[in-house]
Amino acid sequence: LRLVLCENSHPRLLETYFEERFLHVLRMTLFTSLPGRVLTTPVRQFARLRDQFFRLFNHIPVLRNAITEMNVKPASKYTHGFFLSDVKKEYKKYAGLLLPQPSVTTTEGQYLPLDEVLGDGFALLKYCETAQESQELGILMNRAEWKQFSMRAICLHSAKRQPPALPEQQIAQSVFLAEGVWAQPLSLLLHNPHLCLLVRPDRYILGIFDIHNAREAAIAMNRLLQNGR
């Protein structure tokens, strides 16, 4: 809404909300209504079968944990809508996923959720093992094709490694992730330092691209905003 009201995007962008949400809402409706019918059935014979099933179910730890921890809930994954499509095939599967929200440590020693570091607009994340890689991300964000988006750049560092010597004036903000919290697709960045992850304001992944193709990615994002989809 803000992008459209500030005339930074075509109003057609609003149409993608239904396109993205419909299937997930439908799945969640079925997911919640079907168990309700099973649990509140008035048919005694079916209720007895249901009770026997759940007694057996409760003795199988894998299945029991899947239910109690809600691991069977339909994943919030969007397949169509406001996402970058001009990316490599192996990275397309990450577009439309909700970004994981691990806790991170800032260079000032603050321990807080990644969500608080990203800000309330678009954000660009990249794993930076060296100070040079951090500078490269800062240089990228200073280019005209990226500066227009006013997005926040985040350098991800591994807490178990010696942090790089960062420049005094750096455009990208650095945060450190502890070992064991590099969930997909953040772990993809850890193993591929040349990749950049673009996040929407609602924390869904807009796309992943190679930093060497950053100009093309910026053009594609601008085209999405101008066309609204």
Side-chain angles (χ1 to χ4, degrees):
L1 282 171
R2 184 175 61 182
L3 287 170
V4 173
L5 291 174
C6 295
E7 298 185 350
N8 292 322
S9 177
H10 194 284
R12 274 197 299 266
L13 175 65
L14 301 179
E15 297 175 8
T16 62
Y17 182 80
F18 176 85
E19 187 178 358
E20 293 175 3
R21 293 289 298 154
F22 176 73
L23 282 178
H24 184 246
V25 170
L26 181 62
R27 290 169 186 156
M28 283 300 299
T29 302
L30 293 173
F31 174 75
T32 54
S33 62
L34 183 59
R37 293 178 183 177
V38 172
L39 294 174
T40 60
T41 178
V43 182
R44 290 187 178 182
Q45 291 180 335
F46 185 77
R48 280 195 291 268
L49 290 174
R50 175 203 62 200
D51 295 343
Q52 292 175 2
F53 171 77
F54 278 113
R55 288 192 191 98
L56 176 64
F57 197 87
N58 196 47
H59 287 84
I60 305 175
V62 175
L63 298 179
R64 183 182 66 241
N65 294 338
I67 293 294
T68 56
E69 297 177 13
M70 296 297 287
N71 292 335
V72 295
K73 186 178 71 173
S76 182
K77 171 72 166 74
Y78 303 151
T79 56
H80 299 87
F82 182 63
F83 306 108
L84 292 180
S85 57
D86 301 333
V87 294
K88 288 187 177 180
K89 187 176 181 180
E90 61 264 37
Y91 305 140
K92 281 186 178 181
K93 63 181 180 181
Y94 297 106
L97 284 176
L98 187 63
L99 184 73
Q101 293 300 332
S103 294
V104 299
T105 304
T106 67
T107 52
E108 294 80 20
Q110 290 182 296
Y111 186 72
L112 38 78
L114 176 62
D115 191 63
E116 293 187 21
V117 180
L118 297 179
D120 58 2
F122 289 99
L124 188 65
L125 284 73
K126 183 182 180 297
Y127 174 68
C128 301
E129 187 174 350
T130 66
Q132 181 181 355
E133 291 174 345
S134 299
Q135 290 175 332
E136 287 177 353
L137 185 56
I139 293 171
L140 172 66
M141 301 311 295
N142 252 336
R143 293 176 183 169
E145 63 266 25
W146 282 100
K147 207 169 184 178
Q148 62 176 320
F149 302 124
S150 301
M151 67 174 59
R152 186 169 295 185
I154 307 295
C155 284
L156 301 176
H157 306 282
S158 178
K160 68 178 181 178
R161 299 186 181 182
Q162 183 68 27
L166 303 174
E168 292 184 3
Q169 294 182 342
Q170 100 175 61
I171 296 175
Q173 182 175 355
S174 291
V175 295
F176 302 87
L177 273 73
E179 186 178 2
V181 298
W182 288 86
Q184 284 281 22
L186 295 179
S187 60
L188 183 70
L189 303 184
L190 176 65
H191 300 294
N192 299 273
H194 58 284
L195 293 181
C196 296
L197 189 151
L198 191 54
V199 187
R200 306 190 321 188
D202 63 356
R203 303 299 182 253
Y204 279 84
I205 297 172
L206 182 64
I208 296 178
F209 60 89
D210 191 303
I211 194 171
H212 299 106
N213 300 325
R215 186 174 182 276
E216 291 78 4
I219 293 172
M221 180 177 173
N222 189 58
R223 186 168 59 246
L224 279 175
L225 291 171
Q226 295 303 316
N227 297 332
R229 56 190 306 123

